[in-house]
Amino acid sequence: MQRIVVLAGGIGGARFLRGLMSAVPDADITVIGNTGDDIHLFGLKVCPDLDTVMYTLGGGIHEEQGWGRAGESFAVKEELAAYGVGPEWFGLGDRDFATHIVRTQMLAAGYPLSAVTEALCARWKPGVRLLPMSDDRIETHVLIDDSESGDGARKAVHFQEYWVRMRASVDAHAIIPVGAEQAKPAPGVLEAIAAADVVLFPPSNPVVSVGTILGVPGVREAVADAAAPVIGLSPIVGGAPVRGMADKVLAAVGVESTAAAVARHYGSGLLDGWLVDSVDAAAVAEVEEAGIRCRAVPLMMTDVEATAAMARAALALAEEVRA
Ligand code: GDP
Ligand code: CA
């Protein structure tokens, strides 16, 4: 059985995984999920990217939105607002609240996040092994100008405040994974990478999703040293993110928003192969010059079949690299 490891963020990762599972239903898939987006709200631990993967693969996702539960209601949020208790900018529905209550309760009882995630997945049966990148708390913060204080002062805000409340409307100067230095990979993460037949970077955010996972001490080295081919798919198509504001966080780390620049950012030390969209076929030569095998194929995840074709192209490139 083919062992595939995928380093996944939220929507881009989850949608790709659905196509991958359709392409290779018998594969043994381990997902290493980003937890840098995690946030404490109303006393509850919220893990947006783990939940997006779990709900998407478990059939509970709000399809059009791409995150949160289908058939949501917002009574709890309205009641909190009636008490004047925010934040009001983070959308937590009633069904979703239950997940965060169970998670917080288990964490308070002493279970590590990896065990909690496994327990939540016992209900959702995502069909993959979903591991948080770490059991330790890591929170991505974004350095921005402090408009209140003026005179060039800067401040760090939580990633969700930058992304959801501010819609990345101001420039990011730096991305800071608070807690990463002292963190360890969750149990099973390094083992899964070492035992993989293929490691995939789905079209997830290269900085605040895949980049954050790679920033957990030991993970980047494990991927670089993996015997398996490492193949990525570009989240940047035609010089812009397909969805969201990845260009803002790429700029913060000095990377242009092009498919080739993202490949060079990961580098040939990590990546063996890179898929760009057909519209970026002109970038193939540049990526190959950087020592990364590259192919141009359609990369729009319009439906499961189109996404499965992307997954097959990634696995075919892995075979080519191996040969
Ligand atoms: P998030 O945590 O919910 O932001 O999700 P991810 O980090 O997993 O993925 C976000 C990235 O997915 C964005 O940078 C998008 O450009 C990318 N993305 C979304 N839909 C598509 C698609 O259909 N094709 C490609 N190539 N990228 C996509
Ligand atoms: Ca995310």
Side-chain angles (χ1 to χ4, degrees):
M1 202 195 298
Q2 192 173 25
R3 284 161 301 190
I4 304 175
V5 169
V6 182
L7 273 50
I11 301 179
R15 289 193 172 157
F16 175 75
L17 283 162
R18 196 150 59 176
L20 178 66
M21 291 173 70
S22 161
V24 281
D26 296 330
D28 169 354
I29 302 172
T30 298
V31 178
I32 301 172
N34 173 41
T35 57
D37 293 20
D38 293 5
I39 186 167
H40 285 78
L41 295 168
F42 313 109
L44 301 174
K45 168 89 162 175
V46 180
C47 301
D49 285 0
L50 292 180
D51 288 350
T52 294
V53 170
M54 184 174 80
Y55 293 155
T56 299
L57 302 184
I61 199 76
H62 185 304
E63 286 293 343
E64 295 71 41
Q65 197 169 256
W67 53 271
R69 293 286 311 278
E72 262 301 9
S73 53
F74 290 89
V76 174
K77 195 177 180 219
E78 284 159 23
E79 290 296 315
L80 287 164
Y83 285 111
V85 174
E88 73 302 319
W89 48 265
F90 200 90
L92 289 183
D94 299 331
R95 294 175 185 279
D96 200 20
F97 258 112
T99 302
H100 313 314
I101 292 169
V102 173
R103 173 184 293 123
T104 306
Q105 182 168 264
M106 285 189 71
L107 288 169
Y111 291 95
L113 183 62
S114 49
V116 175
T117 304
E118 193 181 340
L120 294 170
C121 286
R123 171 185 174 193
W124 290 102
K125 300 181 174 52
V128 298
R129 187 159 69 119
L130 177 59
L131 303 177
M133 63 189 195
S134 178
D135 279 334
D136 301 319
R137 183 168 167 177
I138 299 171
E139 269 182 19
T140 304
H141 283 65
V142 181
L143 193 65
I144 60 172
D145 286 331
D146 187 352
S147 53
E148 256 111 81
S149 89
D151 58 305
R154 290 176 171 179
K155 65 174 177 182
V157 297
H158 190 285
F159 172 74
Q160 297 296 354
E161 187 172 354
Y162 180 72
W163 204 251
V164 179
R165 186 174 78 79
M166 307 175 73
R167 311 275 325 140
S169 55
V170 300
D171 287 345
H173 300 298
I175 309 298
I176 309 149
V178 178
E181 280 171 33
Q182 305 85 261
K184 291 188 300 294
V189 165
L190 298 181
E191 294 82 351
I193 295 168
D197 297 310
V198 185
V199 177
L200 298 178
F201 296 176
S204 283
N205 190 305
V207 181
V208 293
S209 293
V210 179
T212 308
I213 301 168
L214 291 170
V216 178
V219 173
R220 179 183 298 275
E221 295 73 14
V223 172
D225 295 347
V230 180
I231 309 291
L233 298 94
S234 180
I236 304 294
V237 171
V242 175
R243 176 186 171 125
M245 300 80 73
D247 49 323
K248 301 293 274 204
V249 289
L250 280 166
V253 297
V255 177
E256 235 187 304
S257 284
T258 66
V262 173
R264 278 191 274 107
H265 171 62
Y266 284 131
S268 59
L270 272 185
L271 280 182
D272 298 300
W274 184 242
L275 293 179
V276 300
D277 187 82
S278 310
V279 303
D280 294 314
V284 169
E286 182 186 345
V287 175
E288 296 217 317
E289 268 163 42
I292 300 163
R293 195 81 66 100
C294 187
R295 298 287 176 267
V297 297
L299 287 189
M300 298 304 280
M301 299 189 283
T302 42
D303 55 36
V304 175
E305 192 32 54
T307 313
M310 289 164 53
R312 282 190 287 267
L315 296 175
L317 188 53
E319 283 312 315
E320 224 181 279
V321 165
R322 217 192 311 267

